[in-house]
Amino acid sequence: MKFGMYLLFAGALWTAQAHAGCPQGQEAFTSCQIEGRNTEVFVCFDDQVATYSYGPIGGTPDLFLSEPVERVDFEPWPGSSVSIFESVTFYSGDYAYNVGGGFDRPFSEEDLKHEPRRFGWVEVTESGEHAASLECVPDTVSYGFGGGIHDIKVAAGQTWDSYSFTWVSDHIQPIPTSTLQESQYKNVIEHCLPATEFSLGGVHMGDPLSALGKLGSPETIEDPDGRGEAIDRMTLVGMHLDIFQDVVVAMSTTSPNWEMPSGLRVGLTRGEVIRLLGRVPNGYTATSRSFTAYVCSDIPLPDPEWTMVIEFGQDKRVDRIYFVNLSY
């Protein structure tokens, strides 16, 4: 089956389905009525925004969400399997709503003469855990393959990374030398991070308190880690610094305004992080929920024992970056 035949077939499905239920000026990516419920779901878009609405058929939506198209979590058809399908995930607090649609691929001219099997779904998770699965009434599924959200994201300078299942900005180019370096201990190759990378917005791990005066004054925190030691904590907008014996021993940020020298920051997709690191850290995969790397050192147990942790949210973007000195 030639690709052009898929597009012709998909276009027929697209035009045959109603686009009602979308905000003015938007068109439907997919929509359907839900099996066993008097409800319907619409995912619509224009060249700026993608929207999600769920509620009673023909009525006011119970839930309406929107996301800029360049940030929306759209997963394109992988290019194989007996069916063509795509999905979009919207996030609201701890909840995620994955909506998809598809149809069986035609493999002959004869297949084109018959109505294809259509399908769709809504998968709901809470804090990454399954909460609900809803199936679409097949005859109500509207889904058109080709163009749409995919082409808008590409036009916005993004590329789909099938390994991390995320989109990567074309502004983030592969680096010639991996930020994560290789170190070897007892014939085991591990990845480590140069000490210069343990910095956020120009503030470095190991900086003396005297160098931080312009940022504010710390407050004493009694034994926050159960070690029997009090620390001083400096709280900034989107970041806090932990200081022990007048030296920065931990840093944490949940704001994109604090950036590592390599460009790593909160808000980047998992694929963008891998591109900036140059590789996936040892012991992790391209779809892991977090990455950890230790400071590079010529000795097996570096002093200080600096550790970087990157945590990804359920939206597959960096939610938090923190550094800690395990030896204090």
Side-chain angles (χ1 to χ4, degrees):
M1 175 67 62
K2 295 182 179 179
F3 188 72
M5 188 174 180
Y6 291 147
L7 294 180
L8 177 63
F9 184 67
L13 279 179
W14 180 263
T15 56
Q17 303 303 317
H19 290 182
C22 290
Q24 185 175 3
Q26 291 195 333
E27 57 183 283
F29 161 73
T30 189
S31 66
C32 74
Q33 296 177 9
I34 303 301
E35 285 275 14
R37 305 186 180 209
N38 189 34
T39 57
E40 61 186 356
V41 62
F42 281 86
V43 173
C44 307
F45 68 96
D46 55 30
D47 60 355
Q48 298 292 322
V49 176
T51 60
Y52 165 92
S53 62
Y54 177 86
I57 296 174
T60 302
D62 296 325
L63 180 63
F64 182 86
L65 303 172
S66 66
E67 186 77 18
V69 172
E70 63 227 37
R71 280 188 57 93
V72 77
D73 188 0
F74 166 73
E75 188 168 328
W77 179 51
S80 60
S81 83
V82 298
S83 301
I84 292 177
F85 56 90
E86 294 175 317
S87 66
V88 179
T89 304
F90 292 82
Y91 302 93
S92 178
D94 293 333
Y95 288 90
Y97 304 87
N98 176 259
V99 187
F103 56 88
D104 287 342
R105 294 163 62 186
F107 287 93
S108 68
E109 296 289 347
E110 183 64 25
D111 289 343
L112 288 172
K113 299 177 182 179
H114 304 284
E115 182 73 14
R117 183 184 74 92
R118 288 173 280 158
F119 55 89
W121 68 87
V122 180
E123 291 284 344
V124 184
T125 58
E126 181 180 5
S127 301
E129 300 295 326
H130 177 265
S133 296
L134 308 178
E135 292 188 9
C136 292
V137 177
D139 289 344
T140 69
V141 173
S142 165
Y143 164 72
F145 174 65
I149 295 176
H150 177 277
D151 285 2
I152 295 172
K153 292 182 77 68
V154 170
Q158 298 179 0
T159 302
W160 173 249
D161 177 24
S162 59
Y163 295 100
S164 65
F165 291 94
T166 61
W167 290 83
V168 177
S169 171
D170 294 343
H171 294 298
I172 300 177
Q173 293 295 316
I175 54 178
T177 302
S178 176
T179 304
L180 280 178
Q181 300 178 2
E182 288 189 352
S183 64
Q184 186 169 330
Y185 176 60
K186 291 185 177 181
N187 297 322
V188 176
I189 295 179
E190 299 180 340
H191 294 150
C192 63
L193 196 67
T196 53
E197 278 296 311
F198 285 79
S199 171
L200 289 167
V203 182
H204 297 73
M205 285 284 286
D207 274 353
L209 178 59
S210 59
L212 306 176
K214 60 183 180 181
L215 297 177
S217 300
E219 296 181 0
T220 300
I221 307 294
E222 295 293 339
D223 194 19
D225 303 314
R227 302 185 184 194
E229 299 275 5
I231 65 166
D232 295 322
R233 177 165 292 170
M234 185 177 293
T235 301
L236 308 173
V237 178
M239 183 172 77
H240 68 248
L241 310 174
D242 286 351
I243 301 159
F244 181 69
Q245 295 181 351
D246 292 338
V247 172
V248 175
V249 295
M251 305 170 65
S252 176
T253 183
T254 56
S255 168
N257 296 324
W258 298 92
E259 189 172 291
M260 294 170 57
S262 60
L264 285 167
R265 57 178 173 79
V266 168
L268 295 180
T269 67
R270 203 161 43 213
E272 291 168 338
V273 169
I274 295 170
R275 181 168 287 188
L276 289 172
L277 289 176
R279 63 185 73 180
V280 176
N282 282 108
Y284 297 89
T285 70
T287 58
S288 293
R289 293 292 300 270
S290 66
F291 290 158
T292 298
Y294 303 99
V295 66
C296 294
S297 174
D298 294 330
I299 57 177
L301 295 175
D303 184 17
E305 295 180 57
W306 294 349
T307 302
M308 174 201 71
V309 179
I310 296 176
E311 296 177 344
F312 299 99
Q314 63 175 347
D315 61 354
K316 309 172 193 173
R317 293 178 179 271
V318 179
D319 187 57
R320 181 183 179 221
I321 298 174
Y322 68 90
F323 308 139
V324 63
N325 181 345
L326 298 177
S327 65
Y328 88 87

